[in-house]
Amino acid sequence: MNQSYNSVLLDTAVAELAKLPGIGHKTALRLALHLLRKEPETAMALGNAIIEMRKGVSYCPVCHNISEGGLCGICGDSHRDTRTVCVVENVKDVITIERTHEHHGLYHVLGGLISPLDGIAPSDLEIESLVSRVASGSVDEVILALSPTMEGDTTNFYIYRKLSDLPVKITVLARGVSIGNELEYTDELTLGRSILNRTPFVEND
Amino acid sequence: MNQSYNSVLLDTAVAELAKLPGIGHKTALRLALHLLRKEPETAMALGNAIIEMRKGVSYCPVCHNISEGGLCGICGDSHRDTRTVCVVENVKDVITIERTHEHHGLYHVLGGLISPLDGIAPSDLEIESLVSRVASGSVDEVILALSPTMEGDTTNFYIYRKLSDLPVKITVLARGVSIGNELEYTDELTLGRSILNRTPFVEND
């Protein structure tokens, strides 16, 4: 698109902002002009925070949650129950479950859900590393905390089959969460209850 | 708010993003995680574009439009009609009017509208600099292109009074029915004005 706001710098900032999901060209321009109106420190702080975050944040080698190098804050916390591992789709779900204060164990972030339609195969996800983690004998219980959608159920079943020969208890979130809803929009009370009432995984549930 | 996403860097980036207008905490987190998922170049480009824009973009000393130091692209364009000045509320309105390709003169950006309720007085706006510009004798026509709101009308009237002793033609945007709008949804004031200010019918207008 030919913007020509008489400033290449503004054009560039608008173009970069418009690459963010859910931010169109008009919103990007509004945000850029807002930053120009505010004192310079606001824009500097935002720009630097984005750069420093991207430079400094990496992924935990054990659970694949975000960390600032090495183990993440949860894996490195000696007060957590290391023998219970909660399997989640992404980092946002770790945050969502942490907010309920009902899970005291560790996590395993898959990085997505199996979805043949979107071309996401089991090998694209952190499933093999979960199997290794369980096979090492350090885990008593795996809590499957994936969204109650078709992709979530498929992934649950795949992981269940992969772990079924290993001496580990496999549980799944209680169906207190409304089926068809995304995990991140579930209220904390319901989500907390569904962690407390987790049930053994049964085929053809 | 106590976020604790196990990364101070993420917390900081989310907090800075959430300061942008119309971006709440949840959206800020979604944007930050999006930047973490994408290749590092995306976040670097965004962060640097914001910083460089804020460092490099300043305001034109003549019309107060954005520029990259010195005169803005419009004031510095020798093909523009320097004797016609269009008065607008803000930089975004310059862009909006430029897109119509119907104004070939210069601009004067007020930086807001007179609004006693919001505590915006004439002295907070670039009105004195407009009067000086006109008083210098370099302007034949001032086009008042402010929003047809109470604040816009108040500002129009204030500027009109300030310029009334000077030898300059003062015009205002035509008020009328919007092209493409149904007549029955046009408010009575606008419709009444458009009847009073009716223009000769021209074929292929």
Side-chain angles (χ1 to χ4, degrees):
Chain A
M1 214 190 299
N2 184 11
Q3 281 110 31
S4 179
Y5 297 150
N6 290 302
S7 161
V8 179
L9 296 171
L10 174 62
D11 286 355
T12 309
V14 170
E16 291 297 333
L17 283 165
K19 285 181 190 167
L20 291 171
I23 298 203
H25 191 82
K26 271 202 160 177
T27 307
L29 176 59
R30 192 165 53 83
L31 297 179
L33 291 176
H34 167 86
L35 289 170
L36 285 177
R37 261 198 313 275
K38 290 275 174 179
E39 59 279 10
E41 289 71 29
T42 307
M44 298 301 153
L46 173 61
N48 283 320
I50 290 171
I51 291 171
E52 293 306 318
M53 173 190 76
R54 194 61 187 82
K55 273 189 194 157
V57 171
S58 57
Y59 292 91
C60 175
V62 173
C63 75
H64 312 285
N65 185 18
I66 48 166
S67 80
E68 296 188 1
L71 289 183
C72 74
I74 296 172
C75 285
D77 180 351
S78 59
H79 295 94
R80 309 281 303 208
D81 165 19
T82 61
R83 304 198 65 83
T84 306
V85 171
C86 184
V87 176
V88 293
E89 178 183 346
N90 54 41
V91 172
K92 218 185 303 189
D93 291 341
V94 172
I95 295 167
T96 310
I97 291 178
E98 280 299 284
R99 283 216 194 99
T100 71
H101 301 294
E102 297 284 6
H103 176 60
H104 310 294
L106 306 183
Y107 288 90
H108 194 89
V109 180
L110 296 179
L113 295 175
I114 298 172
S115 173
L117 282 176
D118 300 318
I120 303 175
S123 58
D124 297 323
L125 307 174
E126 292 292 346
I127 293 180
E128 276 311 311
S129 58
L130 173 66
V131 175
S132 311
R133 221 174 144 184
V134 173
S136 75
S138 62
V139 181
D140 289 335
E141 179 179 358
V142 165
I143 305 173
L144 299 171
L146 305 180
S147 290
T149 57
M150 203 171 69
E151 290 79 12
D153 287 345
T154 305
T155 313
N156 274 343
F157 187 66
Y158 184 88
I159 293 174
Y160 172 74
R161 290 286 290 268
K162 279 284 195 178
L163 297 178
S164 57
D165 292 339
L166 296 167
V168 69
K169 185 175 158 193
I170 302 176
T171 57
V172 69
L173 289 188
R175 295 298 171 134
V177 290
S178 0
I179 291 166
N181 269 17
E182 294 288 339
L183 203 66
E184 93 180 72
Y185 300 118
T186 307
D187 71 278
E188 295 174 12
L189 208 68
T190 307
L191 191 56
R193 186 75 66 86
S194 72
I195 292 175
L196 283 177
N197 293 344
R198 61 190 184 273
T199 53
F201 187 86
V202 185
E203 271 186 86
N204 305 319
D205 191 13
Chain B
M1 211 190 303
N2 184 11
Q3 281 110 32
S4 180
Y5 297 150
N6 290 301
S7 162
V8 180
L9 296 172
L10 175 61
D11 286 356
T12 308
V14 169
E16 291 297 333
L17 283 165
K19 283 181 190 167
L20 292 171
I23 297 204
H25 191 80
K26 271 202 159 177
T27 306
L29 176 59
R30 191 164 54 82
L31 296 179
L33 292 176
H34 166 86
L35 289 170
L36 284 176
R37 262 198 312 274
K38 290 276 172 175
E39 60 279 10
E41 288 71 30
T42 306
M44 297 303 153
L46 173 61
N48 283 321
I50 289 171
I51 290 171
E52 293 307 318
M53 173 190 75
R54 194 62 186 83
K55 273 190 195 157
V57 172
S58 57
Y59 292 91
C60 174
V62 173
C63 75
H64 311 285
N65 185 19
I66 48 167
S67 79
E68 295 188 1
L71 288 184
C72 73
I74 296 171
C75 285
D77 181 350
S78 60
H79 295 94
R80 310 281 304 208
D81 164 18
T82 61
R83 304 199 65 83
T84 306
V85 170
C86 183
V87 175
V88 293
E89 179 183 346
N90 54 42
V91 172
K92 218 184 305 187
D93 292 341
V94 173
I95 295 166
T96 308
I97 291 179
E98 280 299 285
R99 284 218 193 96
T100 70
H101 301 292
E102 297 285 4
H103 176 59
H104 309 294
L106 306 182
Y107 289 90
H108 194 89
V109 180
L110 295 178
L113 296 175
I114 298 172
S115 174
L117 283 174
D118 300 320
I120 302 175
S123 58
D124 297 324
L125 307 175
E126 293 292 347
I127 292 179
E128 275 312 312
S129 58
L130 173 66
V131 175
S132 310
R133 223 175 142 182
V134 174
S136 76
S138 61
V139 180
D140 289 336
E141 179 180 356
V142 165
I143 305 172
L144 298 171
L146 305 179
S147 292
T149 58
M150 204 171 68
E151 289 79 12
D153 287 344
T154 305
T155 312
N156 275 343
F157 188 64
Y158 184 88
I159 292 174
Y160 173 74
R161 289 286 290 267
K162 279 281 193 179
L163 297 179
S164 56
D165 293 338
L166 296 168
V168 69
K169 184 174 158 193
I170 303 176
T171 57
V172 70
L173 288 188
R175 307 279 162 90
V177 291
S178 301
I179 293 167
N181 268 15
E182 295 283 351
L183 209 65
E184 67 170 303
Y185 301 124
T186 306
D187 68 278
E188 289 163 28
L189 212 66
T190 305
L191 192 55
R193 187 75 71 91
S194 74
I195 293 172
L196 282 177
N197 295 342
R198 62 195 180 274
T199 53
F201 181 82
V202 183
E203 269 185 89
N204 306 320
D205 193 11

